[in-house]
Amino acid sequence: MKKSLLLIPLIIISCKKDPNVEPAERKDSIVITEQPDTALKMDSAAVRLKDSVINNAPKTKEVLKTGVMRNVKEGQIIRMVDAEQFPLTLGEEFTKDDQEFILKITDFDKPNIKAKINTKQKDFNIRFNQIKLPNGDYDGPFGREITYDVKGKGEVWLMIGKSNMASGNTKGSFTVSLE
């Protein structure tokens, strides 16, 4: 019995052997080497050339022209922006008569909204027609500038189009600045 009690610690010690672990360097297939700083730096002319190639690429020009988060459907241009991006300025263009631009502002939680339409054409017939508030109410019409107290949080829509009470050109480019 005493002999078996002496064997128990020996058995426990022999079972607690650490497994053989080979260093990770021998098993990895990726080798990381340091490169000197001079190899990573590019000539500024090369950087400008690369930027020029990217900016003049046909796909880049298409995205810049059509915009991001933009849908065109039956005379309506709809764009979405997040209120966290304020202040911002968006460029847009009406190419047909009777087009309407709807700017949907998501996650709006500020006490008021300020917006302004800028054009280069003096006879451009354009204005803020309506605003849709987070509670679903509509208000309008307005002029080319709007400062509106918004109660509640949620999605706000700004609807831009021609004024039926005025004359002038209804095609052309414009920008909408938001604060």
Side-chain angles (χ1 to χ4, degrees):
M1 177 81 172
K2 288 183 182 182
K3 287 183 182 180
S4 64
L5 289 175
L6 290 174
L7 289 176
I8 292 175
L10 289 173
I11 293 172
I12 292 173
I13 291 173
S14 66
C15 290
K16 286 190 173 184
K17 265 188 164 178
D18 290 331
N20 289 339
V21 178
E22 292 185 30
E25 294 174 353
R26 294 183 191 168
K27 290 187 176 182
D28 284 346
S29 62
I30 298 174
V31 178
I32 299 173
T33 60
E34 278 191 39
Q35 295 180 357
D37 269 350
T38 55
L40 296 174
K41 292 182 182 175
M42 294 180 73
D43 184 343
S44 63
V47 170
R48 282 192 303 266
L49 177 62
K50 182 179 176 186
D51 285 345
S52 176
V53 169
I54 290 170
N55 287 335
N56 291 320
K59 277 293 181 190
T60 304
K61 287 183 178 183
E62 180 183 334
V63 168
L64 290 173
K65 182 179 180 187
T66 61
V68 179
M69 300 294 290
R70 181 180 189 269
N71 294 319
V72 179
K73 185 169 41 171
E74 298 177 17
Q76 278 189 336
I77 302 168
I78 302 170
R79 286 185 75 172
M80 293 184 73
V81 296
D82 193 329
E84 290 182 11
Q85 297 173 339
F86 283 14
L88 65 89
T89 300
L90 296 171
E92 198 51 71
E93 181 178 15
F94 286 157
T95 56
K96 301 174 187 170
D97 288 329
D98 297 324
Q99 276 190 300
E100 181 182 35
F101 176 54
I102 299 174
L103 181 59
K104 296 182 179 182
I105 305 163
T106 59
D107 299 326
F108 192 84
D109 61 353
K110 296 173 177 39
N112 62 37
I113 187 167
K114 293 179 185 176
K116 182 177 181 180
I117 299 171
N118 294 309
T119 65
K120 291 183 180 175
Q121 301 174 19
K122 292 184 180 186
D123 67 337
F124 200 169
N125 179 2
I126 190 169
R127 69 171 181 187
F128 288 102
N129 285 334
Q130 285 187 314
I131 183 170
K132 180 183 176 193
L133 302 170
N135 65 2
D137 290 346
Y138 288 85
D139 197 3
F142 305 97
R144 287 192 181 192
E145 288 188 46
I146 181 174
T147 301
Y148 198 89
D149 292 330
V150 178
K151 293 178 177 82
K153 298 177 183 180
E155 191 170 88
V156 174
W157 296 7
L158 294 175
M159 290 164 248
I160 299 170
K162 75 173 191 172
S163 170
N164 291 330
M165 304 299 279
S167 62
N169 191 9
T170 58
K171 296 178 189 174
S173 299
F174 60 93
T175 61
V176 180
S177 302
L178 300 161
E179 293 180 26

